[in-house]
Amino acid sequence: MNRRKVVIVGAGSVGATYAYALAQSGVAEEIVLTDMNSELLRGQVMDLVHGQPFFPTVSIKEGSEVDFADASMVVITAGSAQKPGETRLQLLQKNAEIVGSIAEKVASSGCKGIMLIVSNPVDVMTYVAYRRSGWERSRVFGSGTVLDSARLKYFISQHCGVDVHNVHAYVLGEHGDSEFAAWSMTHVGGITMDKYCPYCGKCEEWDGQLKWIEKQVRDSAYHIIDAKGSTYFAVALALVRITSSVLRNQKSMLTVSVVPDGEFGLSGLALSIPCIVSNNGAERIVTSPLTDDELSSLQRSADVILGAIKELQI
Ligand SMILES: NC(=O)c1ccc[n+]([C@@H]2O[C@H](COP(=O)([O-])OP(=O)(O)OC[C@H]3O[C@@H](n4cnc5c(N)ncnc54)[C@H](O)[C@@H]3O)[C@@H](O)[C@H]2O)c1
């Protein structure tokens, strides 16, 4: 296995923007893009390699399935993007076959690396990839709500007038309509929200404000897709964050989408719960002490994903 080789399957908006952000980060030594659309692939790679004098040293090239075998990470962004008005779950059937067959090819290549799923609906696609690859759950996981958690941090920081880097916040459950903000795990400068809000005193109805923030996070993708057709900048940065935790063995706690084995009473699906992410992948699920309301929200989200998985022939 090459030490820091990342293969990106799908060189569309998300895949190419991720390649661009990853090249700038200096985290990968080698970035290989693949896509079934060879013209698009050629164009994206040409455009990226012309930036090499400005990037930290990195090799960027076109590739194919033969690149899976020695990859440190294979990141799957292939599939159809969410169309205006289309829910993530409607993308289900279309993307399941694409992601499932790619996951099988990665596994049969003998790859010893990590598989990261991005294609939507990401929780269902992660479960499909997990089942079709036959890999252990730590090595195949999805980007989950890492993006949504970033959006939550942003909205809290804007609302509270505090540096976003002082905000720690986690969105759990489905990357989709049933996701929820785990307020019991959220803090501003080390102060949990239930203590920070009364202390700050800026809002009269802070409980209502938190609900408004949560709704903004949940509806973000719809707002962006309505305005410009698809989302790709922030998700690309979220993917670089996850990649960095794997390739640099950072052991960051991230809300990636993983297959629980009884944690939180859940199994038979993938969804976002706090995980330690390292060069072993999603190596440890952290069963944080959620409130009863949060546990109910997590179960509701799980039910939505389980319902979607049931519709599929995996
Ligand atoms: N998880 C997240 O947070 C998140 C955020 C944004 C988008 N997405 C999802 O990422 C996916 C990609 O979005 P996009 O905007 O880049 O779409 P896009 O249409 O721009 O790119 C998708 C690419 O996949 C390629 N492709 C399709 N089938 C393939 C196959 N079998 N092998 C190789 N390549 C194949 C297409 O040719 C296309 O270039 C979508 O499913 C989208 O919903 C996820």
Side-chain angles (χ1 to χ4, degrees):
M1 179 161 65
N2 285 357
R3 269 201 321 124
R4 289 186 282 131
K5 173 179 175 178
V6 178
V7 178
I8 304 172
V9 188
S13 307
V14 173
T17 312
Y18 165 54
Y20 177 70
L22 185 62
Q24 282 194 319
S25 73
V27 165
E29 279 171 340
E30 191 178 347
I31 301 172
V32 179
L33 286 103
T34 73
D35 198 292
M36 65 189 294
N37 180 341
S38 52
E39 267 305 283
L40 174 75
L41 177 62
R42 206 166 61 84
Q44 298 283 38
V45 171
M46 274 196 292
D47 200 4
L48 283 162
V49 293
H50 297 168
Q52 273 187 330
F54 309 111
F55 289 138
T57 304
V58 59
S59 152
I60 303 173
K61 56 186 187 195
E62 274 182 56
S64 67
E65 288 157 17
V66 300
D67 286 290
F68 294 158
D70 64 348
S72 319
M73 284 182 80
V74 178
V75 182
I76 303 179
T77 73
S80 185
Q82 201 174 9
K83 303 284 181 309
E86 189 176 40
T87 68
R88 291 195 182 89
L89 288 182
Q90 284 169 325
L91 282 174
L92 178 68
Q93 202 65 52
K94 217 177 354 176
N95 284 343
E97 197 36 49
I98 296 174
V99 172
S101 64
I102 295 167
E104 259 177 24
K105 285 175 191 160
V106 175
S108 63
S109 75
C111 174
K112 297 277 180 281
I114 303 295
M115 207 184 317
L116 173 62
I117 314 301
V118 187
S119 314
N120 274 324
V122 69
D123 303 296
V124 182
M125 293 307 122
T126 301
Y127 190 68
V128 169
Y130 162 72
R131 289 284 301 273
R132 295 275 292 269
S133 65
W135 281 10
E136 61 268 42
R137 63 179 182 150
S138 55
R139 286 176 60 214
V140 48
F141 60 93
S143 57
T145 55
V146 176
L147 169 61
D148 315 69
S149 299
R151 287 173 173 153
L152 179 59
K153 288 178 202 176
Y154 166 76
F155 282 111
I156 292 171
S157 83
Q158 289 295 297
H159 177 76
C160 300
V162 175
D163 182 353
V164 69
H165 300 101
N166 287 132
V167 180
H168 285 265
Y170 302 89
V171 173
L172 304 184
E174 178 201 11
H175 170 62
D177 297 341
S178 70
E179 69 186 30
F180 66 98
W183 292 115
S184 68
M185 296 174 65
T186 301
H187 60 88
V188 176
I191 310 171
T192 51
M193 292 310 284
D194 58 335
K195 296 202 171 61
Y196 183 81
C197 292
Y199 161 77
C200 167
K202 208 172 92 181
C203 320
E204 278 175 23
E205 288 238 14
W206 58 268
D207 202 28
Q209 294 293 328
L210 296 188
K211 287 199 175 71
W212 180 86
I213 288 174
E214 194 172 15
K215 182 167 164 38
Q216 294 308 304
V217 172
R218 195 179 294 128
D219 293 345
S220 282
Y222 293 119
H223 294 153
I224 298 168
I225 289 165
D226 282 346
K228 61 173 234 178
S230 62
T231 75
Y232 39 88
F233 288 127
V235 65
L237 293 168
L239 297 177
V240 173
R241 178 73 183 84
I242 299 167
T243 307
S244 159
S245 196
V246 171
L247 297 185
R248 290 183 170 150
N249 195 25
Q250 283 174 324
K251 299 184 189 285
S252 304
M253 199 202 283
L254 298 169
T255 55
V256 289
S257 184
V258 281
V259 178
D261 184 17
E263 290 91 348
F264 297 104
L266 300 170
S267 59
L269 79 164
L271 86 176
S272 286
I273 41 185
C275 273
I276 303 299
V277 178
S278 70
N279 59 3
N280 296 316
E283 70 169 33
R284 186 156 55 90
I285 291 173
V286 179
T287 45
S288 30
L290 301 178
T291 65
D292 287 348
D293 278 356
E294 289 166 347
L295 285 170
S296 302
S297 298
L298 190 64
Q299 185 61 55
R300 264 198 301 278
S301 218
D303 290 342
V304 170
I305 299 164
L306 283 166
I309 289 171
K310 226 187 264 174
E311 289 170 30
L312 286 175
Q313 305 271 347
I314 302 177

